[in-house]
Amino acid sequence: MKNSEFDKYAEDYSANLGKSTQIFGEEIDFFAEYKVRDLNEFILKNNRKKDLILDFGSGIGNSIPWFRKYFPESKLICSDVSSKSLEYSEKRYPGKENYLLIEDRFDLAENSIDIIFATCVFHHIPEDEHMYWLGEMKRVLKEDGVLCVFEHNPLNPLTRRTVNQCPFDENAVLISKNDFVQKLQNAGYNKIEYSYRLFFPNQLASLRPLEKYMKRFFLGAQYSVIGLK
């Protein structure tokens, strides 16, 4: 997770991401919104606290408008290894959000965060550092805190094609859902839930209501894994 790797893409991130996701037929906001919306549904369904949220790997802030929409009363910390991405994020969405540059650890107190949100971040982190960061997240989560991770599904051929076309994914190593669930278990997270997402491109959008019945079908383009401390 090198800051220079993402610093060079900061201002062109949206354009590059938009090109790589054209194959699915949706704009960037479609992908950013569904993840925050899914998180909100889980929090409401399980009556979890949402006072303070940490967006781990927030990049240039694509999730900020959706946190403002679905979590209007929550405080949001946007965190990333790329200082340029954080600066650009603040220019795009000036407001009440706080910003945290990630270095060797989180500059946050133990048991201070209600929710950690990590969307398509871990495939950029070297595999031998995954357990460290899962442990660091657990350190800062409150005792009833929630970790929500979204990742690309390597079993989906469309996903693999998209990643291969994306310049800033050149060093990405995709992680299977089973492997990520095992990592959370090894890190000591409880009540782990998972869900596969994104089965139908825009051309088949009329079929998307069926996705709620397909959450365990392993060919979704992305998946989410939720662990409770």
Side-chain angles (χ1 to χ4, degrees), residues 123-142:
H123 62 257
H124 291 294
I125 303 175
E127 198 278 335
D128 60 0
E129 296 181 19
H130 288 180
M131 296 307 297
Y132 170 78
W133 285 106
L134 289 173
E136 183 66 0
M137 291 174 177
K138 191 176 179 184
R139 179 184 71 82
V140 301
L141 276 175
K142 294 180 180 178

Side-chain angles (χ1 to χ4, degrees), residues 11-88:
E11 295 192 11
D12 296 324
Y13 180 92
S14 290
N16 284 313
L17 184 60
K19 290 178 183 177
S20 67
T21 58
Q22 283 178 352
I23 192 171
F24 202 78
E26 296 290 356
E27 299 295 329
I28 296 170
D29 279 346
F30 170 84
F31 301 95
E33 181 179 12
Y34 100 78
K35 295 178 176 69
V36 180
R37 185 176 64 240
D38 279 9
L39 172 63
N40 183 52
E41 289 175 0
F42 175 86
I43 296 300
L44 292 176
K45 180 181 177 181
N46 292 274
N47 195 30
R48 294 282 165 170
K49 292 181 180 179
K50 53 183 179 180
D51 297 332
L52 185 57
I53 302 171
L54 173 67
D55 187 351
F56 176 67
S58 60
I60 62 171
N62 287 337
S63 296
I64 289 176
W66 310 113
F67 276 111
R68 290 176 178 176
K69 176 179 178 179
Y70 292 103
F71 294 87
E73 304 303 321
S74 302
K75 294 181 179 179
L76 178 66
I77 301 174
C78 298
S79 64
D80 206 279
V81 298
S82 168
S83 58
K84 287 187 177 180
S85 294
L86 294 178
E87 290 170 6
Y88 189 48

Side-chain angles (χ1 to χ4, degrees), residues 152-164 174 198 219-222:
H152 297 315
N153 181 13
L155 299 179
N156 183 288
L158 197 62
T159 294
R160 285 192 170 276
R161 181 177 173 185
T162 300
V163 170
N164 289 337
L174 300 187
L198 302 183
L219 284 180
Q222 295 183 337

